[in-house]
Amino acid sequence: MMFGFGEDNVTLTMDKPQPVSRLDTTVQGLVGTGVERVDGPAKVSGRATYAAEYRIDDVAYGVLVGAGIGKGKVVSIDADAVKSLPGVIDVVTDYDTFIRVSQQGGETEAPTQGVRDVEYFGEIVAIVLGETYEAARDAALRLPIDYETEEGVFAFSMEAERDGDLPPNNTPAQSAQGDVEAAMAKAAVTIDATYTTPSQNSAAMEPHASLAMWGEDGSLTLYGAYQMPTSDAQQLADALGLSKSKVRIVSRYIGGGFGSKLGIAPESVAAAVAAKRLGRPVKAVMMRQQVFDATVRRSNTSQRMRLAATADGRLTAIGHETTASNLSTEDYFEPAGISTHFLYAGENRLISHDLVRVNWLLSGSMRAPGEAVGLLGLECAMDELAEALALDPIELRIRNDPGRDPEKDVPFSSRALKEALRHGADHFGWDRRQAAGTRREGDWLVGMGVASAARANILMKGSAKVALDPDGTATVTSAMTDIGTGSYTILAQIAADMLGLPLDRVRVELGDTNHVPSGGSGGSWGAASSGSAVYLAAQALRAKLAKAMGVEEEELTLKDGQAIGANRQVALAELLDGKPIEAVGTIDKGAQEKLTTQASYGAHFAEVAVDVVTGEVRVRRMLGVFAAGRILNQQTARSQCLGGMTFGIGGALHEELMHDARTGKLVNRDLAEYHVPVNADVPDLEVIFLPERDIHANPIHAKGIGELGICGAGAAVANAIYNATGVRIRDFPITLDKLLPHLPAM
Amino acid sequence: MRLFQYERAATPEAAVADCLAEDARFIAGGTNLLDLMKLQIETPAKLVDISRLDLGAIEEAEDGGLLIGALVPNSDLAADPRIVARYEVLARALLAGASGQLRNKATTGGNLLQRTRCYYFYDRHTPCNKREPGSGCSAIGGENRILAVLGTSEHCIATHPSDMAVAMRALDATVVTLKRDGDRRRIPLGDFYRLPGDTPQIETVLEPGELITHVALPPAVDGARHVYRKVRDRASYAFALVSVAGVVRMDQGRIAAAQLAFGGLAPMPWRNAEVEAALVGQEPSPALFERAADILLADARGQGSNDFKIPLARRTLAATLRELTEAR
């Protein structure tokens, strides 16, 4: 324990379990309930200001220009051809400084720079500035650019040379234990099947946007739509050759990120360079088509799944070999095997990742990188194995639930997979599931599917400051973000409970690198990491208040602005005696993440109907049962899970970026043709949380939940399609054309 | 900035007079045109706003049919009790299209004139004969999952995206127009659209400046059953991969009358008189439906990723005919 009570700065490094959480004994009673979003009224009334919406005097409108070739070089940009158009200010490019790709999350350096070389169709090579958006857009659409084209690799092929010697990406590229080949050869039952998933786009509602302003002291302020402002500011500083203290990023509201706003995107550097050149603020908002063309995609994958089992359904081997794609200069691989490491038992294990190099836009993190598509492979293969064993798929999973991490000799910090499967089976009516292809209702083939959910838990270093004012109000500040998830609300709840204040006495200010640093939002770490920082800061304030009351901190009760202890009740305002107090809490990862395997778990259940005539799939109902440690807010957590399950429906049935094999160009680059589920595709989704605490994860005992809902959701849908039709489609998304040849004759 | 002139027309005659220039366009709901203008796929020099003209009524016609004003919003048309009672296939087709918000803005005349949703038409970085005549067709040899298998040419395989027009085609609707010389024309919907041939940029027989004022529906077929079956990649807000609009009247177990039109298959709402002739007078049976599909798809040609539309159309037609003819 490294609590420095009385100090203004408290740091907790998670080296030891934290069996006691003050949140279990505070009496304000907000954490764990479903209080409504504190930012809700601002959002629905338009008072929540997003990056592109700040009204800045003298702003110039920037419209980005993407390369019109898939591979080659920019020879020249004929700015003069458009500069004389009315309302056009200038055309700016900087072949060395512009960034070629977005940065991955958490990096502290600039991504690959230099846009003379075009590595993918749509790479941002210039920005056109206008007095109005319309003037700039017109010039951007007309801007003549001369290219020297080169041969590129525009199609993904498993025959291509693969690059397997890659640095780890939250999971090692290669890992082997025992001998999968040998285990396959002697197993009673085996599955050897390859699943493919396409490129996808986060398609967040808010397009990427930056508003850049330089100060007279050479400092840069950038209003941007970013998930991790602290590291994003470092990336931006590095890209521009500035010291990091000179860059401020403000991201108070973000209209969804899903990974695409973890690192800086090309519009940020373009806006900053142009603002410098012009000597006035520049706003650059990507067109929807550019969000598709030039931010980041989730890689397509080809996943070879091998499972070997005894006749009674004990796994003896798991092989999960993933091939993804990326640009030749980028090492990020889609970590599809990440949860395969720990989800099931099995002595012999081979989990590998490699890359085929293509001239397609950058691949990087998209919601639940790894699990979202990796569990399509693993959980569909488990379904195939259950079918081959004539064993119930839930029973197969329970039989292979390992007591300890099957690869490292460590326990799980908390794990409620079996409970989620059993609870869900009861609640969903799993016993009514019939043999594959046997349930028909009119023209509908109906089936049920199940899949496990698992998402590795991540703690990110981060801080929060909590100030308690003499008037009995508290202010929480941090560079943490709320990307639509509910950060403002849960941080207010934690501070309110810890300090015994009604929710409306707590103000939360986020998304500004002028605040104390934070790991931001991503990888489902946001709530637990920043929540722990707020908890630590508030606990330090409790210690000060306890001291003032003359009691030990654990004997202090705070409620409704009153301090109670030692048979006394004193108003906080009185206790503070006109002097504000404040503290900074910092949480950091420690030995616990090595001494335990930490993940959130759950189970997805889906019932689908497949039109026997057309192959159209309609999801009828879904249930997700989740355990993710302490649930901080029932309502916002549930919303995250609903969104994840909806994402899962999209992954199973709809989402697919199409690359033209002749040019590498994205073909479906708007929301009309890049399909995500619409309301009519999403039936009643039910979410159940199982009570759980994780003392190894952090002092508030919460684990990540933001991405848990997507993990395995698509597999449950795919497995339900199999159960409905008896047809196994291994090429995602499962569109009707793939089912059609296998449906009964009319 | 792309400047354009804007005129608000007070009368249809004034609108036609205002829209003389070749590069002028009428605008009403703007649900398609504005998107195309932002991408500079359409670059009109002038917009003539017809949205305030008195063309928003649905009236009984003398022949017992209905006369639909060109500015009737899709939502209103779908909800009109006369449409629901007498032309159910049209109401169903309308509600299968777009979204509630779009249907509130989109008009009857504008719906007929939607441009294709071919990916390449929307992308100025790729050749497209419809957007830039003579530049080539990127969809042939490219991604063409949503494109046509009937009525195409080597220059264009685009589909017409409308659902409403498919139902109107089945209903033998007539487009009523006002020409710039003051003449009115009545153009059967079957003659209204043009196949792409070597001029895919010309999509209808409308003359420059010719204004759609109404769509006339003939008297409804008494005792007919109506079905609109739309097959798509998601449950709403997606264009048809295949759609079938069917109006069939049965008499003593035989098909007495059949009107069938198809969406998602061709550059225009598709109708084939031979398909209907093969059905009329016959007892419904799977074999008969197969024969109808054989006739419909005799000349169908896939381009790779849209090959599936041919078996899909076959199955959808059979299921639709079954629904239209089965005893209840």
Side-chain angles (χ1 to χ4, degrees):
Chain A
M1 296 284 282
M2 281 169 283
F3 284 125
F5 285 128
E7 303 282 333
D8 288 341
N9 297 300
V10 216
T11 296
L12 175 64
T13 302
M14 279 305 295
D15 288 327
K16 291 184 182 147
Q18 300 293 315
V20 177
S21 180
R22 195 60 73 226
L23 290 176
D24 287 314
T25 48
T26 53
V27 296
Q28 196 68 30
L30 293 165
V31 169
T33 67
V35 298
E36 291 182 353
R37 286 164 190 268
V38 296
D39 52 335
K43 282 188 171 167
V44 298
S45 63
R47 282 177 290 119
T49 308
Y50 291 78
E53 298 178 328
Y54 287 88
R55 287 182 172 276
I56 305 290
D57 286 343
D58 199 33
V59 72
Y61 293 83
V63 171
L64 303 164
V65 182
I69 59 166
K71 168 81 175 148
K73 282 187 169 50
V74 177
V75 175
S76 64
I77 296 176
D78 186 2
D80 290 339
V82 299
K83 264 157 90 168
S84 58
L85 292 170
V88 176
I89 303 165
D90 204 353
V91 178
V92 170
T93 194
D94 182 330
Y95 290 123
D96 300 324
T97 307
F98 273 30
I99 56 176
R100 194 183 298 169
V101 292
S102 292
Q103 183 54 290
Q104 310 287 356
E107 301 286 342
T108 53
E109 292 178 354
T112 305
Q113 290 184 273
V115 297
R116 172 78 72 181
D117 294 324
V118 174
E119 290 296 318
Y120 61 98
F121 214 114
E123 180 182 315
I124 302 300
V125 297
I127 182 169
V128 178
L129 290 314
E131 297 293 349
T132 63
Y133 174 71
E134 289 75 13
R137 181 178 61 195
D138 177 39
L141 288 168
R142 299 194 208 200
L143 183 66
I145 303 179
D146 239 11
Y147 303 100
E148 197 177 286
T149 59
E150 294 166 19
E151 285 288 306
V153 181
F154 299 130
F156 176 87
S157 165
M158 287 295 284
E159 309 305 313
E161 194 180 325
R162 284 182 257 162
D163 187 343
D165 183 20
L166 300 162
N169 177 23
N170 288 316
T171 199
Q174 310 282 340
S175 124
Q177 173 180 310
D179 187 341
V180 167
E181 302 276 348
M184 289 287 287
K186 65 180 182 198
V189 180
T190 60
I191 297 294
D192 185 347
T194 298
Y195 292 82
T196 56
T197 66
S199 297
Q200 298 176 333
N201 185 280
S202 293
M205 197 183 295
E206 178 200 26
H208 292 58
S210 283
L211 174 48
M213 290 174 295
W214 292 88
E216 284 174 8
D217 60 350
S219 66
L220 172 70
T221 299
L222 187 121
Y223 292 92
Y226 286 116
Q227 297 177 225
M228 305 176 74
T230 301
S231 50
D232 295 325
Q234 292 172 305
Q235 297 167 9
L236 191 54
D238 190 46
L240 297 168
L242 297 171
S243 93
K244 66 182 182 189
S245 65
K246 290 283 189 197
V247 176
R248 176 187 175 203
I249 289 184
V250 179
S251 300
R252 295 194 181 111
Y253 295 98
I254 297 103
F258 311 112
S260 73
K261 297 168 183 170
L262 287 171
I264 59 171
E267 97 292 340
S268 62
V269 173
V273 168
K276 184 101 183 176
R277 197 81 64 89
L278 262 58
R280 60 192 276 198
V282 167
K283 179 194 287 193
V285 182
M286 282 193 171
M287 290 194 265
R288 176 58 65 185
Q289 289 82 358
Q290 292 172 331
V291 173
F292 282 100
D293 280 346
T295 59
V296 61
R297 68 188 164 95
R298 189 203 298 282
S299 177
N300 62 311
T301 66
S302 173
Q303 303 173 43
R304 184 184 182 194
M305 295 301 316
R306 283 184 289 174
L307 299 176
T310 60
D312 65 348
R314 313 272 165 194
L315 283 168
T316 56
I318 301 179
H320 192 169
E321 296 160 85
T322 300
T323 301
S325 63
N326 214 340
L327 290 159
S328 62
T329 49
E330 309 298 326
D331 282 337
Y332 181 100
F333 62 86
E334 179 68 28
I338 190 165
S339 55
T340 309
H341 285 288
F342 61 82
L343 196 49
Y344 299 117
E347 200 178 318
N348 302 287
R349 312 172 78 88
L350 172 65
I351 300 164
S352 71
H353 305 82
D354 56 24
L355 285 175
V356 167
R357 300 303 188 169
V358 287
N359 291 104
W360 292 353
L361 80 152
L362 176 76
S363 71
S365 295
M366 178 170 146
R367 201 173 194 184
E371 289 94 336
V373 289
L375 287 176
L376 290 175
L378 179 60
E379 288 302 282
C380 288
M382 285 294 280
D383 203 62
E384 294 203 47
L385 180 63
E387 193 77 11
L389 287 160
L391 185 63
D392 183 280
I394 292 177
E395 181 56 30
L396 174 66
R397 286 170 172 86
I398 288 172
R399 279 186 198 174
N400 289 287
D401 188 60
R404 286 168 74 82
D405 186 299
E407 295 184 8
K408 303 169 198 163
D409 186 26
V410 296
F412 294 108
S413 63
S414 59
R415 176 174 165 122
L417 176 61
K418 283 186 289 195
E419 293 79 357
L421 286 163
R422 286 187 176 126
H423 188 94
D426 281 350
H427 196 81
F428 197 69
W430 182 252
D431 56 350
R432 296 199 298 274
R433 177 175 176 264
Q434 298 180 11
T438 62
R439 181 174 162 200
R440 182 162 175 166
E441 297 174 7
D443 271 351
W444 294 102
L445 306 173
V446 183
M448 289 187 200
V450 69
S452 299
R455 169 72 189 165
N457 186 59
I458 304 172
L459 183 67
M460 284 290 272
K461 183 178 183 180
S463 303
K465 180 189 280 186
V466 180
L468 187 56
D469 285 340
D471 65 354
T473 63
T475 305
V476 176
T477 52
S478 172
M480 172 62 187
T481 48
D482 188 328
I483 58 173
T485 44
S487 311
Y488 280 109
T489 310
I490 57 113
L491 298 183
Q493 286 174 273
I494 292 169
D497 268 10
M498 291 294 287
L499 298 174
L501 297 172
L503 200 60
D504 61 5
R505 309 301 299 274
V506 180
R507 198 167 67 235
V508 181
E509 296 175 3
L510 302 177
D512 189 333
T513 53
N514 277 358
H515 299 321
V516 292
S518 169
S521 302
S524 301
W525 63 65
S529 303
S530 64
S532 294
V534 170
Y535 172 90
L536 292 169
Q539 199 166 31
L541 297 186
R542 287 176 58 88
K544 289 171 192 265
L545 296 170
K547 197 171 171 188
M549 284 287 284
V551 298
E552 294 297 313
E553 189 266 335
E554 58 268 29
E555 288 163 7
L556 178 70
T557 300
L558 297 174
K559 185 163 197 304
D560 292 333
Q562 302 284 321
I564 304 157
N567 293 321
R568 266 193 329 138
Q569 177 167 336
V570 185
L572 285 182
E574 193 183 323
L575 198 62
L576 289 169
D577 193 25
K579 291 188 277 291
I581 54 173
E582 63 177 42
V584 175
T586 299
I587 188 79
D588 200 357
K589 57 179 80 181
Q592 283 301 304
E593 85 172 20
K594 300 265 187 284
L595 296 172
T596 59
T597 292
Q598 301 181 7
S600 300
Y601 295 90
H604 289 281
F605 295 80
E607 181 174 293
V608 307
V610 180
D611 189 308
V612 73
V613 174
T614 63
E616 287 168 290
V617 178
R618 298 289 179 257
V619 180
R620 285 186 164 184
R621 60 191 181 106
M622 278 183 88
L623 165 68
V625 181
F626 304 110
R630 186 193 306 274
I631 301 301
L632 299 168
N633 182 313
Q634 291 284 338
Q635 190 170 198
T636 55
R638 177 172 176 273
S639 293
Q640 286 299 296
C641 293
L642 295 178
M645 290 160 75
T646 302
F647 235 118
I649 293 172
L653 301 179
H654 305 119
E655 292 196 45
E656 176 173 21
L657 279 178
M658 295 188 282
H659 303 265
D660 193 308
R662 300 165 298 187
T663 58
K665 185 170 197 342
L666 287 178
V667 176
N668 53 339
R669 49 207 275 281
D670 60 33
L671 293 173
E673 296 304 339
Y674 181 80
H675 284 180
V676 299
V678 296
N679 274 335
D681 295 299
V682 184
D684 280 344
L685 306 180
E686 192 177 356
V687 172
I688 294 172
F689 293 120
L690 299 181
E692 189 180 60
R693 296 284 188 268
D694 194 317
I695 63 171
H696 303 279
N698 51 59
I700 61 174
H701 300 168
K703 291 186 290 187
I705 195 157
E707 293 156 312
L708 185 58
I710 187 176
C711 299
V717 172
N719 292 338
I721 292 170
Y722 172 78
N723 182 243
T725 60
V727 178
R728 179 70 66 180
I729 304 297
R730 301 187 183 92
D731 178 28
F732 289 91
I734 304 176
T735 47
L736 61 89
D737 48 304
K738 295 170 190 170
L739 284 164
L740 206 56
H742 308 287
L743 294 175
M746 290 292 290
Chain B
M1 186 170 345
R2 281 274 172 184
L3 296 176
F4 57 86
Q5 272 185 286
Y6 171 88
E7 305 265 355
R8 185 183 295 160
T11 63
E13 291 72 20
V16 174
D18 279 343
C19 209
L20 283 178
E22 292 279 331
D23 51 0
R25 297 276 189 285
F26 297 115
I27 186 165
T31 55
N32 192 203
L33 181 58
L34 291 178
D35 284 351
L36 293 167
M37 286 174 67
K38 288 175 188 173
L39 297 169
Q40 296 194 356
I41 292 158
E42 294 257 19
T43 52
K46 182 175 179 180
L47 291 183
V48 178
D49 183 352
I50 58 168
S51 63
R52 300 182 196 208
L53 298 183
D54 184 19
L55 295 171
I58 304 171
E59 301 160 272
E60 293 288 347
E62 283 176 12
D63 64 357
L66 283 181
L67 193 62
I68 303 163
L71 294 176
V72 174
N74 290 175
S75 294
D76 292 14
L77 188 58
D80 187 274
R82 293 161 294 185
I83 298 290
V84 173
R86 287 147 59 184
Y87 306 96
E88 188 190 348
V89 67
L90 177 56
R92 287 175 178 269
L94 282 159
L95 293 176
S99 66
Q101 295 90 332
L102 285 167
R103 293 195 295 268
N104 288 343
K105 283 299 284 180
T107 63
T108 303
N111 189 316
L112 291 173
L113 297 178
Q114 286 178 77
R115 308 298 304 275
T116 184
R117 291 287 166 166
C118 176
Y119 319 108
Y120 299 97
F121 175 68
Y122 274 78
D123 191 338
R124 288 163 27 110
H125 280 300
T126 59
C128 169
N129 286 324
K130 194 183 273 298
R131 178 167 30 79
E132 204 178 318
S135 62
C137 174
S138 300
I140 296 172
E143 296 291 340
N144 48 48
R145 173 165 208 283
I146 60 174
L147 301 178
V149 294
L150 285 167
T152 60
S153 73
E154 61 184 306
H155 304 286
C156 185
I157 60 169
T159 44
H160 193 269
S162 173
D163 292 297
M164 182 196 82
V166 176
M168 286 182 168
R169 180 80 181 92
L171 290 168
D172 283 319
T174 298
V175 180
V176 183
T177 69
L178 178 65
K179 296 209 296 179
R180 61 169 68 164
D181 59 9
D183 280 0
R184 290 188 168 276
R185 282 213 282 175
R186 293 179 64 90
I187 310 166
L189 197 55
D191 299 331
F192 182 76
Y193 294 106
R194 292 171 41 129
L195 286 177
D198 56 6
T199 55
Q201 73 278 15
I202 305 172
E203 293 168 359
T204 70
V205 299
L206 288 176
E207 295 171 10
E210 188 170 4
L211 175 70
I212 299 175
T213 59
H214 300 84
V215 173
L217 296 180
V221 182
D222 277 342
R225 200 176 279 181
H226 290 223
V227 168
Y228 187 74
R229 178 79 179 257
K230 179 175 179 178
V231 184
R232 47 186 150 178
D233 273 328
R234 61 183 170 189
S236 177
Y237 202 58
F239 296 94
L241 295 169
V242 170
S243 72
V244 183
V247 178
V248 166
R249 185 168 59 82
M250 298 293 291
D251 187 14
Q252 298 186 352
R254 288 178 185 274
I255 297 170
Q259 296 166 227
L260 295 165
F262 303 86
L265 294 178
M268 58 167 69
W270 195 254
R271 196 161 166 188
N272 183 330
E274 289 175 44
V275 173
E276 295 166 20
L279 293 167
V280 171
Q282 306 295 317
E283 282 183 27
S285 70
L288 179 68
F289 302 160
E290 277 292 302
R291 200 150 69 238
D294 286 342
I295 297 168
L296 173 72
L297 298 165
D299 296 327
R301 185 166 158 248
Q303 296 284 347
S305 45
N306 68 351
D307 291 350
F308 74 95
K309 283 192 173 185
I310 298 170
L312 180 63
R314 174 176 293 278
R315 295 172 72 94
T316 308
L317 174 58
T320 308
L321 286 171
R322 191 186 65 201
E323 193 180 345
L324 284 161
T325 59
E326 71 193 351
R328 275 185 194 162

